[in-house]
Amino acid sequence: MPCEVLAARAAEELQMSPLIIDTDIGVDDAVALRYALLTQDLIGITCTYGNVAVEQAVKNAKALCRHYGVSQPVFKGASRPLSRRPLPLESHIHGHDGLGDYVTFPENSTAPDAVHYLIESAWHYRGELTLCTIGPLTNLALALNLCPELPSLLKEVIIMGGAFGSNGYGGNMTHFAEFNILNDPEAAELVLASTLNLVLIPLDVTMQVQISGEEIARLKDEFLRGITAFYLDFYLKRGGSAGMAVHDALTVSYLNNPGWYQTVTTPLTVSLGGPTDGQTLRPLGRLNVPHDVFAGRPEHKLCLGVQVAEVKEHLLKTLRLQ
Ligand code: BDR
Ligand code: CA
């Protein structure tokens, strides 16, 4: 029986909540999507700019679905940040097409509107729907602006983004800022200031889970082996890495077993300028301060620890299935 059918059955049996993934499909996004197809009830893919232009992200989502023989609907969202210019595309990391320049693209880039789909789905599933965001937070911020009820409609939002300097990992764009947040800090600030039930998975955690060339070579999935070659090369050439980080896949891993992640509950904010532009922040100490910039802000779950062996074992075992 095909894996997708098994996954759909398992989802029914476990009464998994429906999941939407919001993505700027680069290589680790594609790994996250494949992992979600095999383990979660993925009902739709909303695209945004980031690693690639939004048009290319739509093509990548369609190419991935076509390759795996699934028909999840694909939607097109923001093509730029709320109020800034987009950062340069990540072609030196993910290839010009975002998928390691390995895939051919007969697909076109037309797709219905992502932000309306997010809002309609949130109303449709009221309290049941989970969202993973693995690109800049522009689509979610736009949805929040249009639909103030969103925090009470979504079950949970798992965000790959940010860096807090623990485990030796600061930002990957500046010493302070991570790519998804720095692409649209204003959108990220709007999301972190909201009462969404959210879990933030920053570089502190995602950089710890590295997949080696040998582990990739053992995957039976030729598509994943093909698209990861360029990305793996980037990590190995940059030095200091034993393999490639699959940042975005950890949002799906968290859904598969939140027990693998250590979280703290804390208010969060984003620096909106200066040398720390795009840095994600939490209160550093316990002293009572006269000017509390976190006063009145909601608390969120922030992951700062991960059981690397368990996360890797489940991810690799699942991806090896086909
Ligand atoms: C994030 O940036 C992107 O390049 C990756 O896809 C991931 O979402 C890591 O900083
Ligand atoms: Ca991404």
Side-chain angles (χ1 to χ4, degrees):
M1 194 178 292
C3 266
E4 282 71 18
V5 177
L6 285 174
R9 269 207 193 150
E12 262 168 40
E13 279 163 21
L14 292 171
Q15 290 189 319
M16 251 173 219
S17 61
L19 170 68
I20 294 175
I21 295 190
D22 188 63
T23 170
D24 58 337
I25 307 189
V27 174
D28 59 321
D29 303 69
V31 174
L33 286 165
R34 179 59 179 148
Y35 193 26
L37 283 170
L38 291 169
T39 58
Q40 294 288 320
D41 180 16
L42 181 67
I43 61 161
I45 303 171
T46 55
C47 295
T48 188
Y49 69 92
N51 291 321
V52 290
V54 67
E55 290 77 14
Q56 184 66 47
V58 168
K59 287 185 182 182
N60 291 358
K62 290 183 181 180
L64 186 132
C65 289
R66 179 171 52 89
H67 176 81
Y68 289 116
V70 297
S71 51
Q72 269 72 3
V74 174
F75 299 86
K76 190 195 281 184
S79 59
R80 51 168 298 147
L82 294 181
S83 56
R84 303 185 178 205
R85 291 196 179 155
L87 298 174
L89 302 176
E90 294 275 82
S91 52
H92 61 298
I93 304 178
H94 298 268
H96 290 287
D97 65 11
L99 294 181
D101 299 326
Y102 170 80
V103 186
T104 45
F105 293 99
E107 292 80 6
N108 61 48
S109 64
T110 52
D113 182 68
V115 175
H116 284 101
Y117 171 70
L118 282 174
I119 295 171
E120 276 159 24
S121 305
W123 280 110
H124 180 81
Y125 289 103
R126 277 173 191 254
E128 299 284 308
L129 182 67
T130 297
L131 173 68
C132 285
T133 71
I134 56 178
L137 286 159
T138 319
N139 284 345
L140 180 53
L142 290 169
L144 273 171
N145 273 341
L146 285 173
C147 175
E149 301 90 344
L150 207 59
S152 62
L153 296 176
L154 288 177
K155 182 177 173 195
E156 204 172 26
V157 181
I158 321 295
I159 297 173
M160 191 281 126
F164 291 82
S166 59
N167 304 315
Y169 294 112
N172 57 3
M173 293 302 288
T174 70
H175 284 300
F176 306 101
E178 180 275 335
F179 180 79
N180 290 339
I181 305 295
L182 187 63
N183 243 302
D184 196 347
E186 283 74 19
E189 170 57 10
L190 218 139
V191 168
L192 296 182
S194 77
T195 55
L196 282 165
N197 179 21
L198 65 86
V199 182
L200 189 66
I201 306 188
L203 292 176
D204 313 49
V205 162
T206 65
M207 284 303 294
Q208 292 187 58
V209 182
Q210 307 224 346
I211 311 293
S212 70
E214 292 73 41
E215 286 163 333
I216 292 288
R218 285 204 294 274
L219 294 180
K220 287 191 193 132
D221 185 327
E222 202 183 325
F223 182 82
L224 283 188
R225 284 204 316 271
I227 64 166
T228 48
F230 190 96
Y231 184 74
L232 180 65
D233 202 46
F234 164 80
Y235 271 92
L236 297 180
K237 279 192 181 140
R238 194 178 59 167
S241 294
M244 58 180 216
V246 282
H247 311 281
D248 295 339
L250 269 54
T251 59
V252 179
S253 164
Y254 179 90
L255 291 176
N256 285 329
N257 190 344
W260 289 328
Y261 293 83
Q262 287 89 54
T263 57
V264 294
T265 303
T266 176
L268 297 163
T269 187
V270 180
S271 169
L272 297 178
T276 58
D277 194 26
Q279 180 178 7
T280 41
L281 301 161
R282 66 179 174 129
L284 287 180
R286 292 195 204 137
L287 291 183
N288 275 329
V289 289
H291 305 291
D292 182 358
V293 297
F294 294 99
R297 290 180 73 99
E299 299 204 304
H300 298 297
K301 279 189 192 149
L302 166 66
C303 290
L304 288 176
V306 57
Q307 291 174 215
V308 177
E310 284 81 353
V311 166
K312 273 186 71 169
E313 192 195 345
H314 188 265
L315 175 69
L316 291 174
K317 215 161 86 184
T318 305
L319 296 181
R320 243 177 239 145
L321 284 178
Q322 275 191 339

